[in-house]
Amino acid sequence: MNCIVVADTFLLFALKIIDTSDSPLAVYDAEFGDDEATAVLLDEYSVPPCFSQDLFELALSKKRPPYKWILIGPARSGTGLHIDPLWTNAWVTVLQGSKRWMLFPKETPPVEIGMQEPQIPSVIWFRDYYDKVTAKDWPIEWKPVEVLQQAGETVFVPNGWPHLVLNLQLTVAVTHNYASEFGPFKRMWKEVMTEEQEFGQAWLDGLKNSRRDLWDAVQSYSL
């Protein structure tokens, strides 16, 4: 569910009402930096150089699917189990606070780990599923990667990996999703052309201009 919340109202909730909420609300702002008031925030950080080029930047269109967020949430808030859209990779850097992560190999059956719609709140998921997926008899090929992320640290999320996040305290983070040529590029292309056809065509035109090798590869693909 998406809604608009005034900053003062959210701050009151995060600092005062949090103690009575099992699964508090969090802010996921995909439009930060898109207006004059917040554009300055984009100068406050840069993409870590260890990550590959975002191929979506080559699209001949200024409009692209949401890909960057500032995340602000109190303790016990978080993101339920999901797979990131369009078969993209992601990175998340914590600026303040800490996050607890569970990441599952892409072959893990969704029904076995409680991945569903609507999502199970992450704080409830840890209560109901954590012991199951960390038990000694849990299949090794589905073994999750557990991460305790502190301020100043960055987590990489591979495309197709189910994952969830729990904020352990009031936490602020920045995240980007990006399209990489490394990995199942064909799968990503099919996702884009199925879910975001208009953008997909602009992206295809951009690849033709800037990455002819990838454009040539796409010509042999079928949906």
Side-chain angles (χ1 to χ4, degrees):
M1 178 182 68
N2 296 321
C3 61
I4 297 175
V5 179
V6 178
D8 289 348
T9 302
F10 176 76
L11 187 61
L12 174 66
F13 175 86
L15 297 180
K16 300 264 181 93
I17 305 176
I18 177 178
D19 290 338
T20 63
S21 176
D22 290 334
S23 181
L25 294 175
V27 170
Y28 300 83
D29 185 359
E31 298 181 356
F32 84 96
D34 292 345
D35 57 23
E36 184 176 355
T38 61
V40 64
L41 295 176
L42 300 181
D43 296 328
E44 297 297 319
Y45 74 95
S46 59
V47 176
C50 57
F51 299 119
S52 60
Q53 177 189 19
D54 182 2
L55 294 177
F56 285 170
E57 292 180 346
L58 302 179
L60 300 184
S61 172
K62 293 183 179 180
K63 186 177 180 180
R64 59 179 287 182
Y67 72 100
K68 58 178 173 56
W69 289 264
I70 187 167
L71 314 173
I72 306 172
R76 299 192 305 280
S77 65
T79 307
L81 198 58
H82 68 286
I83 295 174
D84 283 352
L86 303 181
W87 221 247
T88 53
N89 297 324
W91 58 264
V92 181
T93 297
V94 167
L95 307 178
Q96 171 187 315
S98 57
K99 292 177 177 285
R100 186 178 183 184
W101 291 74
M102 298 289 287
L103 302 98
F104 292 88
K106 61 182 65 175
E107 299 80 10
T108 309
V111 67
E112 295 291 340
I113 54 177
M115 188 165 69
Q116 62 183 52
E117 290 294 341
Q119 295 175 1
I120 300 172
S122 54
V123 67
I124 305 301
W125 185 95
F126 273 99
R127 183 195 68 187
D128 293 346
Y129 283 89
Y130 180 79
D131 288 346
K132 174 184 177 181
V133 304
T134 56
K136 291 182 179 179
D137 60 351
W138 183 252
I140 187 67
E141 63 270 21
W142 304 340
K143 183 178 180 180
V145 175
E146 298 188 59
V147 179
L148 177 59
Q149 184 184 19
Q150 305 285 1
E153 297 178 339
T154 298
V155 168
F156 169 70
V157 183
N159 54 52
W161 279 52
H163 56 282
L164 77 159
V165 188
L166 178 67
N167 293 321
L168 302 181
Q169 55 189 294
L170 181 61
T171 300
V172 180
V174 173
T175 180
H176 278 212
N177 283 71
Y178 69 97
S180 173
E181 65 184 286
F182 306 106
F185 181 82
K186 182 177 181 180
R187 171 68 184 269
M188 180 176 62
W189 178 82
K190 288 185 175 182
E191 291 272 340
V192 172
M193 297 306 293
T194 300
E195 302 296 331
E196 299 283 350
Q197 295 183 12
E198 183 176 350
F199 171 76
Q201 186 57 55
W203 183 39
L204 190 60
D205 293 340
L207 291 177
K208 186 176 182 179
N209 285 352
S210 303
R211 287 298 304 269
R212 192 61 182 243
D213 56 328
L214 295 177
W215 183 86
D216 287 341
V218 165
Q219 305 313 301
S220 65
Y221 299 162
S222 60
L223 293 176

